[in-house]
Amino acid sequence: MVGGTIVVPSRRRRAITGAGVAWVAVTPFAAWAVARLAGLERGPVATQLMTATPYAAAGSLLPLLLAAMTRRRGVTAVAALTTAALGLAVLPRAIGWADSVPGTPVRVLTINLLYGKADPAEVLALVRRLEPDVLSTQELTPGAVEALDAAGLKALMPHRVLQEEWSAGGSGLYSKHPLTPLWDVMPPVGHKMPAAVVRLPDGKRIEVIAVHPFAPIGESYEGWRTALEALPSASPDIVRVLAGDFNASLDHTPMRRLVGRGYKDAADSAGAGLVPTWPANRRLAPVITIDHVLVDAKVGVREVSVHTVRGTDHRAVLAALSVP
């Protein structure tokens, strides 16, 4: 009431206010979609935020609803395009596709041991239950090597190429089948990333690399990018598998570029690409997917499963493959 007169806002003013709220809500999601699709994220903060893209895709439904309520075509169109773009980037990982490539079955298991603190009995129980042909381990310490062998890993997987360290830098490959180490595959970037050729019982050979670049935090950010770029492309001469803690999700540009060099993400192929792998064994459930098994695009993916192991903050990932 002004001077005894009741002032009623016009409908147009209310509509403009509603549209303004919708634009404010839509804009950050639209910017996120543009950054994700164009690969514009730069620096440690933006890179870490990009792992939340699946949650941004779900959250973009709210501004879409607000925009639709305003009945304004412009903001509604932008909101709809934003939700569609984020959805198309994320949803295929939960759907998967037929991948019935005939060939030799090979099972690859990867686990980050958290400075060697993962419960060795649980790791062995997982190996016995899942029966992997190859085990890729990250943050492998000398103490973890001893504890795993004492628990029975040496009997189950006697072949190994290990580069253990008393830090997060150690990694190792264990196998049921004979291994030939490859010392010239990876330059000294990131943590230790041993590579080996696995000779399968039918005579086929596959190359496996235990992947563990630095996390994209602070000064390690450039090293993270460099390590992902240094991983070898798929080869027409040999089947290659990259298994480990990539410290990257499929929403990171360097990771998508790596996949684009002749690989596919096994979990993505199997419809398990949105199953989070980190952080495990915390009060909150795992929220992001940074542990992967990347396989040569010509390899079939039969199934992928994710498993929690006591003592480590990463979940183990098993990929059942078919090598042509």
Side-chain angles (χ1 to χ4, degrees):
M1 180 177 294
V2 180
T5 302
I6 298 176
V7 178
V8 180
S10 67
R11 290 187 178 183
R12 178 173 179 79
R13 182 175 296 176
R14 287 200 301 269
I16 292 174
T17 301
V21 170
W23 276 115
V24 169
V26 167
T27 298
F29 289 94
W32 195 308
V34 170
R36 165 61 177 80
L37 294 180
L40 300 180
E41 81 272 10
R42 295 292 185 274
V45 175
T47 295
Q48 292 172 63
L49 284 175
M50 195 55 65
T51 59
T53 296
Y55 303 100
S60 69
L61 292 170
L62 178 58
L64 175 58
L65 177 61
L66 290 174
M69 291 174 63
T70 69
R71 299 183 180 181
R72 292 301 184 93
R73 292 180 181 179
V75 68
T76 302
V78 171
L81 287 172
T82 296
T83 297
L86 291 172
L88 288 173
V90 169
L91 288 179
R93 296 176 223 169
I95 298 172
W97 57 88
D99 203 357
S100 56
V101 176
T104 304
V106 177
R107 298 168 69 83
V108 177
L109 178 66
T110 179
I111 182 171
N112 182 313
L113 301 172
L114 184 60
Y115 299 99
K117 297 178 182 178
D119 188 310
E122 288 202 10
V123 174
L124 262 293
L126 196 64
V127 169
R128 290 191 176 97
R129 179 161 58 88
L130 300 180
E131 299 182 330
D133 294 279
V134 180
L135 170 65
S136 172
T137 58
Q138 305 88 54
E139 301 197 19
L140 179 70
T141 63
V145 173
E146 293 180 5
L148 289 170
D149 280 346
L153 186 59
K154 191 168 187 177
L156 294 175
M157 310 189 87
H159 307 281
R160 66 268 313 269
V161 175
L162 307 182
Q163 292 182 289
E164 67 269 33
E165 286 187 0
W166 287 110
S167 67
S171 298
L173 292 170
Y174 294 84
S175 174
K176 289 182 178 179
H177 316 298
L179 293 178
T180 301
L182 299 172
W183 302 114
D184 58 350
V185 172
M186 288 300 299
V189 293
H191 300 300
K192 295 292 176 56
M193 292 190 261
V197 173
V198 183
R199 189 170 74 248
L200 302 176
D202 64 356
K204 292 179 181 176
R205 297 170 184 266
I206 63 172
E207 183 179 306
V208 183
I209 301 176
V211 178
H212 193 201
F214 296 136
I217 299 173
E219 296 180 354
S220 297
Y221 168 75
E222 289 299 333
W224 169 80
R225 292 182 64 93
T226 301
L228 290 175
E229 292 168 356
L231 286 164
S233 302
S235 168
D237 302 321
I238 188 169
V239 172
R240 183 173 287 124
V241 177
L242 313 178
D245 169 14
F246 287 70
N247 276 312
S249 78
L250 293 177
D251 293 303
H252 287 127
T253 302
M255 185 69 169
R256 295 199 304 279
R257 287 176 178 165
L258 173 60
V259 172
R261 290 194 270 126
Y263 296 104
K264 58 186 175 184
D265 181 89
D268 185 20
S269 299
L274 293 180
V275 179
T277 64
W278 185 89
N281 294 305
R282 302 285 178 87
R283 291 184 179 181
L284 297 176
V287 293
I288 59 176
T289 306
I290 57 175
D291 300 88
H292 306 269
V293 177
L294 299 190
V295 301
D296 190 302
K298 57 182 173 283
V299 172
V301 179
R302 298 181 175 181
E303 67 171 313
V304 170
S305 54
V306 179
H307 308 268
T308 301
V309 175
R310 184 171 54 193
T312 175
D313 58 348
H314 287 257
R315 303 177 78 191
V317 179
L318 175 84
L321 311 173
S322 179
V323 178

